[in-house]
Amino acid sequence: MQTLEAIAKRKSTRDFDPNHAVPDEVVDTIVKAGCQAPIGGNQRESLHLTVCRSKDILDEINQTTAAAMKMEKRDFFYGAPVVVFVSAAPKQMAPSVEYANAACVIENMLIAATDAGVDNIYLWGAVQGLAKNAALCAKLGIPEGFRPVSAAALGYSLSGAPQPRELSVSLSVNYI
C-alpha cells in the first residue's frame, strides 16, 4: 500500500474483535514505525512504549479510568486485543512537548497498522485513569518519572475493514 493510500484508508475503529489476535511480528513492525517518529529536541529517552495484550490489565485500567472519570464502567479500548501505551517524562525545556511527541509516535503506528491491514484507534481518555494510578503503571512496567499520555488500540474490526476514501481538505486552511 502507498503512504497516501494508507492515510486515506485509516479510520478509527470502535468495535474490535477481542478474540482475533494481531500476530507478534505485525505488532513489532507497528511499534518500529512508531519509533521512527520525529521527536522534538530529539529527546527519544523521554518516551517509553508499553505493548499490552493482557485482558486482565486492560479490564483493570477500564475500571480505574471509569472511577477516575466518575462514570459507569465501560470498555475504553473497544475490545482491542492489543493496546500500545505511550508514556512520557516531561521535559522543562519545552513544556508539554511530550504530548506532541506522543502524537507523532501514535500517528506513525496508526498509519503502519492500516498499511498492515490492522484496524486501530488513537486513545487519549483511556489513559487518564491509568496516569493517576501508580500501582497500575508499575504493573505495566512504565518507568519511574514517566506517565502515560496516549495510546493506540490495535486489532480487527467486527464490522470489516474500512473503505478507502479520497484525500480532501476537511480542516480550515489558508494559503498565503
Side-chain angles (χ1 to χ4, degrees):
M1 188 179 302
Q2 297 294 318
T3 304
L4 293 180
E5 209 179 329
I7 291 170
K9 188 174 182 181
R10 205 215 70 76
K11 180 182 176 206
S12 293
T13 298
R14 292 177 177 85
D15 67 342
F16 292 100
D17 180 348
N19 300 311
H20 189 168
V22 181
D24 290 342
E25 60 275 3
V26 175
V27 173
D28 289 345
T29 297
I30 292 167
V31 168
K32 286 176 185 173
C35 292
Q36 299 310 304
I39 305 299
N42 200 29
Q43 298 289 311
R44 295 196 169 280
E45 70 281 355
S46 70
L47 294 175
H48 178 81
L49 305 183
T50 302
V51 179
C52 182
R53 291 181 176 271
S54 169
K55 183 175 176 357
D56 291 339
I57 290 177
L58 294 175
D59 285 346
E60 194 173 344
I61 295 168
N62 279 326
Q63 289 176 328
T64 299
T65 300
M69 298 173 90
K70 297 178 177 31
M71 60 191 318
E72 294 287 319
K73 183 183 181 286
R74 61 176 266 216
D75 185 355
F76 291 94
F77 306 111
Y78 305 104
V82 179
V83 178
V84 181
F85 294 95
V86 180
S87 299
K91 295 292 179 188
Q92 293 307 313
M93 68 178 228
S96 300
V97 72
E98 65 269 20
Y99 295 102
N101 288 339
C104 290
V105 170
I106 296 282
E107 180 68 5
N108 270 20
M109 289 193 297
L110 299 184
I111 298 303
T114 300
D115 185 62
V118 175
D119 299 309
N120 54 76
I121 187 168
Y122 187 118
L123 300 169
W124 184 80
V127 301
Q128 299 314 297
L130 172 59
K132 296 175 183 173
N133 188 313
L136 260 176
C137 287
K139 240 185 217 186
L140 283 168
I142 295 171
E144 186 76 29
F146 284 72
R147 69 186 270 296
V149 294
S150 60
L154 308 171
Y156 300 98
S157 174
L158 289 167
S159 58
Q163 297 302 309
R165 54 189 188 269
E166 279 191 44
L167 289 178
S168 64
V169 176
S170 60
L171 300 174
S172 176
V173 177
N174 70 305
Y175 297 87
I176 302 174

